[in-house]
Amino acid sequence: RLVEGDNLGALDALVQGHAGTVDLVYIDPPFATGGRFDVVSPVGPRPPRGKGKMPEVRRPAYTDSWPGGMGGLLGMLDPRLRLVHELLAPHGSLYVHVDPTMGHAIKLLLDEIFGPGCFQREIVWRIGWVSGFKTRARNWIRNHDLLFFYVKNPERFTFNKRYLPHPE
């Protein structure tokens, strides 16, 4: 099933028939960057190698700015995260992908909705290497995002750990 549009309505509809049944949710909400993002789709035949670029069509996807700044973003996320909480099964898990500029505020919101005891881990996801123009930054270089791992019930969640042997 593919739903195009505001996910608030879709989440609300899903809760009606599927509350307490979802095992895993991963969300990647906006980061409040203030940027405008497009969907880029290739069109037409691919030109021969070395003979120009593939024709493309750009359509606006979303604008990542929120009236009220951080408070506006949190206000948008709050009802959606509450619906995700309702959708999760008692053994269900949630992973939320954020960047460090919004991570602290979103973690507080998650603690309020899920409860601090449902927080399991903050995973630091390295997203880049320090090279080229990045090395010219005047301070520390942004090269990671965060994943917050929460569970619906810390006594019942499912986590399938994989053990890998150490190399010789």
Side-chain angles (χ1 to χ4, degrees):
R1 182 181 319 190
L2 176 64
V3 179
E4 184 176 343
D6 189 335
N7 60 14
L8 185 59
L11 287 167
D12 191 44
L14 285 170
V15 164
Q16 303 309 313
H18 302 286
T21 65
V22 175
D23 296 332
L24 176 66
V25 174
Y26 167 84
I27 64 169
D28 187 353
F31 292 174
T33 63
R36 182 177 159 242
F37 298 89
D38 296 330
V39 173
V40 180
S41 303
V43 294
R46 181 178 300 276
R49 177 166 259 169
K51 300 286 185 185
K53 291 175 44 178
M54 180 82 175
E56 58 188 32
V57 172
R58 290 182 170 274
R59 296 181 310 152
Y62 69 95
T63 301
D64 191 13
S65 60
W66 304 92
M70 183 183 296
L73 177 64
L74 294 173
M76 180 277 294
L77 284 175
D78 184 272
R80 290 159 174 82
L81 289 170
R82 290 182 191 281
L83 289 168
V84 166
H85 185 264
E86 284 186 57
L87 281 169
L88 282 176
H91 58 274
S93 300
L94 168 68
Y95 289 84
V96 180
H97 175 195
V98 297
D99 79 348
T101 64
M102 291 299 295
H104 56 288
I106 292 173
K107 183 177 183 319
L108 289 172
L109 179 60
L110 288 163
D111 282 349
E112 180 182 313
I113 294 168
F114 280 78
C118 292
F119 170 73
Q120 297 298 303
R121 295 288 179 272
E122 176 181 320
I123 303 159
V124 176
W125 177 11
R126 184 174 181 180
I127 59 170
W129 296 95
V130 178
S131 65
F133 76 94
K134 290 181 182 178
T135 61
R136 290 187 290 224
R138 294 186 60 205
N139 60 20
W140 295 104
I141 296 157
R142 180 183 179 270
N143 70 346
H144 77 278
D145 281 345
L146 304 171
L147 293 167
F148 293 129
F149 170 32
Y150 279 77
V151 297
K152 178 90 175 244
N153 181 336
E155 303 299 320
R156 296 189 59 192
F157 73 97
T158 301
F159 187 85
N160 297 308
K161 189 177 239 181
R162 296 183 99 189
Y163 291 93
L164 300 174
H166 288 287
E168 291 184 21

